[in-house]
Amino acid sequence: MYLLTLVAVAQPIQPPKMPVFPTTTWPTFEDFLEKQSGVAWDTSLEYRFTIQFYIDEDGSVKYPTVLYNTHEAIAQQLYATIPTSPKWSREGMSPDLITKVEKKLTFKAGKWEVKTKMMSYRLASIGRSELQSQSKVVFMPQYGAPKTDVKQDDDIYNVSGIEAKPEYPGGPNEFYKLIAKHYRTPDVPGLNGTVIVSFVIEKDGTLTELKVLRDLGYGTGEEAIRVLKMSPLWQPGRQLGQPVRCSYTIPIKIINK
């Protein structure tokens, strides 16, 4: 179980007032996440996350943590979106407090189910560098599996045989730019060849079942998997108007002179 060690050393307090999310643009913090994260939410699926963040003395949102057991790409997008929240109102609160917010989120049938806990701490008792080091996306296999009320087609389709192929944001050239930018070629003179990797593009646009079909050694296959995990959400493939799982295979050419 992933737990922040802060609570073991900082004394929590419960002030008479807590920070309030500003509702001038979005009615709720969850609506802000839904709209600003860029996630293509599939209303036939159920998504579940636990997020944690801190409201600083100026109302800004800092040090997010996102717990997930599926949909890693969405978890990463939520993690990046949380700190861009508009500043929360701290009216009536002491200026020497920082507030931890924990939310258990379920997105189902286009609606949010939310359970929220808040606890404040004296700024003098907080180790900011420790909070920063603990800010991350965390895989939690024991965190309850998503459910769905709709019978799902879980077959994996070949992209050549469906009516609408999956698409990377910006097209295939942008996908290969991502790989070219982040792939670290091992410094092995004369290492040339092609690494081939396959994966499944899920109905929510995440990449799963990443496999190395051809490896040149020296960690070239593992590096390909690492880079593919950076991918943002794809537009999923569709068959009969519904999102479907699709297999995809890519070659990555390695050239060392």
Side-chain angles (χ1 to χ4, degrees):
M1 175 66 72
Y2 177 84
L3 293 174
L4 289 181
T5 56
L6 165 74
V7 296
V9 295
Q11 183 64 40
I13 60 176
Q14 193 70 35
K17 292 189 176 182
M18 285 292 186
V20 177
F21 178 75
T23 57
T24 52
T25 305
W26 297 276
T28 65
F29 178 74
E30 293 71 38
D31 189 65
F32 156 76
L33 281 183
E34 179 186 345
K35 301 299 191 299
Q36 294 298 105
S37 63
V39 174
W41 302 95
D42 185 339
T43 56
S44 68
L45 300 178
E46 180 178 318
Y47 305 85
R48 299 175 65 190
F49 303 93
T50 294
I51 65 173
Q52 179 177 290
F53 53 89
Y54 287 80
I55 308 298
D56 211 345
E57 56 188 325
D58 64 351
S60 59
V61 175
K62 296 182 177 180
Y63 318 121
T65 300
V66 180
L67 310 184
Y68 74 100
N69 81 320
T70 60
H71 309 301
E72 179 179 5
I74 295 179
Q76 293 287 354
Q77 287 180 261
L78 294 180
Y79 177 79
T81 304
I82 290 169
T84 68
S85 166
K87 290 185 177 181
W88 291 45
S89 171
R90 288 171 42 92
E91 184 178 356
M93 291 188 65
S94 171
D96 66 342
L97 297 178
I98 188 172
T99 302
K100 181 176 73 173
V101 181
E102 179 182 287
K103 288 179 173 285
K104 292 186 180 295
L105 303 176
T106 300
F107 187 75
K108 180 180 179 181
K111 296 182 179 180
W112 288 100
E113 297 175 8
V114 186
K115 294 182 179 179
T116 302
K117 293 181 181 179
M118 289 188 178
M119 186 60 67
S120 293
Y121 300 85
R122 298 289 181 189
L123 283 167
S125 68
I126 296 297
R128 290 184 179 271
S129 60
E130 187 174 4
L131 289 183
Q132 185 62 57
S133 69
Q134 294 170 346
S135 175
K136 61 188 69 175
V137 177
V138 183
F139 176 61
M140 294 286 286
Q142 66 268 44
Y143 181 56
K147 300 176 182 178
T148 176
D149 292 333
V150 180
K151 184 177 180 180
Q152 299 298 316
D153 177 3
D154 289 325
D155 291 341
I156 298 176
Y157 289 75
N158 188 298
V159 293
S160 63
I162 60 174
E163 60 188 30
K165 296 178 174 57
E167 293 185 3
Y168 181 83
N173 288 339
E174 292 299 318
F175 182 46
Y176 277 101
K177 285 181 183 178
L178 171 79
I179 296 172
K181 178 179 179 180
H182 295 286
Y183 191 94
R184 298 192 293 247
T185 302
D187 187 14
V188 179
L191 178 64
N192 299 293
T194 302
V195 175
I196 298 179
V197 183
S198 70
F199 51 89
V200 172
I201 302 166
E202 298 288 346
K203 299 173 190 177
D204 63 359
T206 58
L207 304 188
T208 64
E209 300 188 28
L210 286 80
K211 299 177 183 177
V212 178
L213 304 182
R214 180 191 295 171
D215 195 345
L216 301 179
Y218 303 100
T220 52
E222 292 88 343
E223 178 64 6
I225 297 297
R226 183 189 72 82
V227 174
L228 287 174
K229 287 182 177 180
M230 297 180 179
S231 172
L233 294 178
W234 288 52
Q235 183 68 35
R238 289 185 173 270
Q239 185 73 355
L240 300 177
Q242 298 298 317
V244 293
R245 307 173 73 205
C246 294
S247 61
Y248 207 91
T249 302
I250 62 165
I252 301 175
K253 292 185 178 181
I254 307 296
I255 301 176
N256 265 354
K257 297 182 179 179

